[in-house]
Amino acid sequence: MTVRAFMQRLAAKIACLLVFVLAVSACDRDTPLLAVKAVAAGVPSLAPFFDERSGLGKDAQDVASQPVRGSLQQGDTPGLYGGSKQPAVCDVDRLKAFLTDPRNDQKARAWARALGITTAEIPEYLDRLTPVLLRHDTLVKNHDYKKGKAVPYDSLLQAGIAILVDRQGQPAAKCSCGNPLRPFAGDTSRISVEFENGNKEWQGYDRSSVVAVRPASRPLEKIALVDVADPDRGINRPVGTTGAKDDTFDTRTTEAVPRLAGKTFGQARQALADKGLATGYDTRSAPADSARVTATDPPAGTTLRFGQYVTVSVAEGSSPGGGPTSPPPSEPPPSTPSTSGPSTPGTSPPGTSPPGSSGGTSKPPPSSTPSPGTPSGPSTSASPSPPTSPSTSVTSAPPAVTSSPPLTTTSAPPPVTTVAPPPETTGAPPPSSESAPEEPTASVAT
C-alpha cells in the first residue's frame, strides 16, 4: 500500500508539472510575433526620402552575414561593421545639400523629426555621421516618406547594405535612399520577417543570427571595420569621415583574452573591446552591466584574432539590463556640447573619447584594480570600488582596535571584587574572568 500511495503521489506531481509546462508554452505561443519587413541589399525603397537613382549610396552585394553570440551588440563592438577599398559608399555631402535645399523643406522637417533634431541642426549632425557596410543582418526602426511624414516601421536590413552611423555606432540613415534609422525596440527572438515587394529571402538568412545595435557607452573617435571583400584587412575610420583618412591593420594579429572573473559585465565588455575582441553571451537577454563575471569561453590567456567573440558568463540571479526591448536613445541633437565623454549609454555625445574605443588599434594593458582616473569607459569609473580587496582590510581593522580596550576594562574589575569578598580571592574567579575575554579576542583576530 505504501508503494502504491507513493506512485499515486508521484503521478499527480508529474501531471501538475506537465500542465504547467503546457500552459507556459501556450502563453508563449499566444504572444504575437512582431512583424518585421525585410530590406534586401540593392533593392530600391518604395517610399524613399531621396531619389535612389541619384547615386547617394551604394550597397555591397553578396556579403555573407556573420554569426553572432548574443543578438544585442553595442555600436563599438569590434568587427560589427565593414568597409571596402572603395570607401565612397555614401555621399554625405549630396544628402546634406538635398536636405538643406529650401525646395525640400518638408522632407527635411520630417527627416529631422524622425531623428529627434531640428532642421537647423541637420548639417552639423550629418558631419558627425560615418558610412559603413553592415556585416550582419540588422534590425532597425526604419522610416518611409509618405504624405509629407516619416512613417516608422520595423525592418531587417541585409548584410552588405550601406548605412550612416553616429558617434556611438548607432545606425542613423540608410545611404541609398536617405531614410532615417532608429534603434529597434522589440524582442529579437520574437519576430516574423516578411519578405515582399522585391525583397526576396536572401541566401544565408538565419533568424537566430540577426542583431540589434544599441549605442556604445562612450562616443567613438574612430570605428574599426573589417573589409567585406578581404576579412584579413581591417580599416580604422575616424568618425565623421567618409574614407579619405582611413588607415588599415591586419585582423590576423592576435590578442590574449584578459582575465575578467570578478569584473562587471560592463567592465568586461570594455576590456574586450580595447583588445579588439567582441563580447558574446549565451542568455536570451544581455546581462546587466553590473552583473559579475564568473567565467569566459575561451578562458583567459587564449589568443584570438580581431573581432572574434568571447562568451562571458555572469553570476546566477543577475537581472538582465541590456535587453533589446528598451535600447538607450541614439546620439542627441548636434547642439549638445562636445566636451567630455558620457558615463552611461545614450547620454549626450560629447567631443572626444578615450583612445581605443574603436577596439582595433589602441590596446591599453588590462588592469585588475582600476583607479579613478583610468579612462576605460563608464563602467570602470563607476563600479570598481565594491569588489576591491581593500574593503576587507578596512572592516578587519576596527575589531583589532576595539578588542584591546575590553581586555583592560575586564581586567580592572577583578581586583575590586577580590577585595570585597575575601573568599573569592583564592584564584578561582580571576582565571575565569580573565579567560572570558580571551575568546572574543581570538575570534576577532581570526
Side-chain angles (χ1 to χ4, degrees):
M1 294 297 292
T2 303
V3 174
R4 174 186 251 175
F6 172 77
M7 294 302 294
Q8 288 177 341
R9 287 197 299 269
L10 181 61
K13 290 181 180 180
I14 293 175
C16 290
L17 180 61
L18 289 174
V19 169
F20 174 76
V21 171
L22 291 174
V24 172
S25 300
C27 291
D28 191 57
R29 286 196 303 269
D30 291 340
T31 304
L33 299 177
L34 182 64
V36 174
K37 295 182 180 180
V39 178
V43 177
S45 171
L46 296 179
F49 272 75
F50 193 93
D51 186 355
E52 298 197 36
R53 295 171 299 180
S54 299
L56 174 64
K58 184 179 180 181
D59 298 334
Q61 300 295 321
D62 302 322
V63 176
S65 181
Q66 302 299 306
V68 295
R69 296 184 188 177
S71 59
L72 190 66
Q73 294 293 325
Q74 288 202 162
D76 60 350
T77 300
L80 178 65
Y81 297 123
S84 69
K85 294 180 180 179
Q86 292 78 33
V89 296
C90 194
D91 194 334
V92 181
D93 290 337
R94 181 171 295 187
L95 178 59
K96 184 191 301 184
F98 178 84
L99 292 173
T100 55
D101 189 330
R103 294 173 296 179
N104 301 319
D105 181 65
Q106 188 173 16
K107 280 189 175 182
R109 282 188 281 111
W111 193 89
R113 190 177 299 114
L115 291 168
I117 61 176
T118 66
T119 53
E121 293 168 329
I122 287 177
E124 186 180 350
Y125 181 78
L126 287 172
D127 286 341
R128 295 207 308 268
L129 301 184
T130 309
V132 300
L133 295 170
L134 295 178
R135 296 185 72 226
H136 307 272
D137 295 340
T138 305
L139 290 163
V140 295
K141 175 75 72 176
N142 207 339
H143 295 78
D144 277 338
Y145 182 73
K146 295 180 179 180
K147 298 181 180 180
K149 296 182 179 180
V151 180
Y153 66 97
D154 294 308
S155 71
L156 178 68
L157 305 183
Q158 183 186 5
I161 287 180
I163 66 170
L164 291 169
V165 298
D166 64 21
R167 296 181 65 215
Q168 291 173 284
Q170 182 70 46
K174 187 173 181 290
C175 285
S176 64
C177 59
N179 290 7
L181 305 175
R182 295 291 287 167
F184 177 76
D187 185 343
T188 57
S189 65
R190 301 289 299 167
I191 61 173
S192 175
V193 181
E194 301 173 351
F195 294 89
E196 55 187 16
N197 298 323
N199 297 284
K200 297 180 181 179
E201 182 171 330
W202 47 83
Q203 186 177 2
Y205 163 70
D206 182 359
R207 196 182 75 171
S208 64
S209 294
V210 302
V211 300
V213 183
R214 71 175 182 181
S217 57
R218 61 186 183 184
L220 309 176
E221 288 185 341
K222 52 188 175 183
I223 301 176
L225 313 174
V226 174
D227 193 325
V228 294
D230 181 9
D232 293 339
R233 178 177 179 265
I235 303 170
N236 278 320
R237 178 165 297 170
V239 169
T241 65
T242 59
K245 298 180 180 180
D246 289 354
D247 62 71
T248 61
F249 62 95
D250 191 343
T251 62
R252 294 170 295 183
T253 302
T254 60
E255 285 285 350
V257 176
R259 190 172 300 279
L260 302 175
K263 293 182 179 291
T264 66
F265 182 74
Q267 290 172 331
R269 183 177 52 217
Q270 193 60 61
L272 290 172
D274 291 341
K275 289 280 189 178
L277 303 176
T279 303
Y281 55 92
D282 54 10
T283 53
R284 179 171 175 175
S285 299
D289 282 348
S290 58
R292 292 291 165 187
V293 175
T294 57
T296 60
D297 180 23
T302 307
T303 56
L304 300 175
R305 61 181 285 168
F306 175 83
Q308 287 191 291
Y309 278 91
V310 177
T311 301
V312 176
S313 299
V314 299
E316 293 184 4
S318 300
S319 59
T325 55
S326 57
S330 182
E331 183 182 11
S335 58
T336 305
S338 301
T339 55
S340 60
S343 59
T344 54
T347 53
S348 298
T352 58
S353 61
S357 56
S358 64
T361 54
S362 178
K363 307 181 182 71
S367 174
S368 58
T369 342
S371 63
T374 303
S376 56
S379 54
T380 54
S381 61
S383 10
S385 55
T388 53
S389 58
S391 62
T392 54
S393 61
V394 172
T395 55
S396 62
V401 175
T402 56
S403 61
S404 176
L407 291 176
T408 57
T409 55
T410 52
S411 60
V416 177
T417 55
T418 53
V419 172
E424 295 182 2
T425 59
T426 55
S432 61
S433 61
E434 295 270 79
S435 60
E438 291 300 328
E439 293 180 3
T441 305
S443 173
V444 172
T446 301

